[in-house]
Amino acid sequence: MAQIAKASKSTEKKVAYQKKQEDNGKKVVNWIFGVLILLAIAFVIYSVFIVS
């Protein structure tokens, strides 16, 4: 019985860790896309000033 409880705790910890990693990964991806969008906007503005 004790081994089952111990395995259950270990599994819960792994699941919680995976969830935490997934959330952090989503935040990183969102930041990367945000920065890329800002750089694209800055490039468009730069291009408009260079052409005119």
Side-chain angles (χ1 to χ4, degrees):
M1 249 350 208
Q3 286 181 339
I4 294 172
K6 189 175 183 181
S8 177
K9 278 186 180 180
S10 177
T11 304
E12 289 174 10
K13 285 183 181 180
K14 286 180 184 177
V15 169
Y17 181 74
Q18 284 179 332
K19 174 95 171 96
K20 184 178 167 186
Q21 288 293 95
E22 183 179 346
D23 291 342
N24 286 342
K26 286 181 182 179
K27 285 181 188 176
V28 169
V29 169
N30 287 340
W31 271 101
I32 290 171
F33 278 121
V35 168
L36 286 174
I37 290 170
L38 287 175
L39 287 172
I41 292 170
F43 180 73
V44 168
I45 293 171
Y46 171 76
S47 297
V48 167
F49 282 122
I50 292 298
V51 169
S52 61

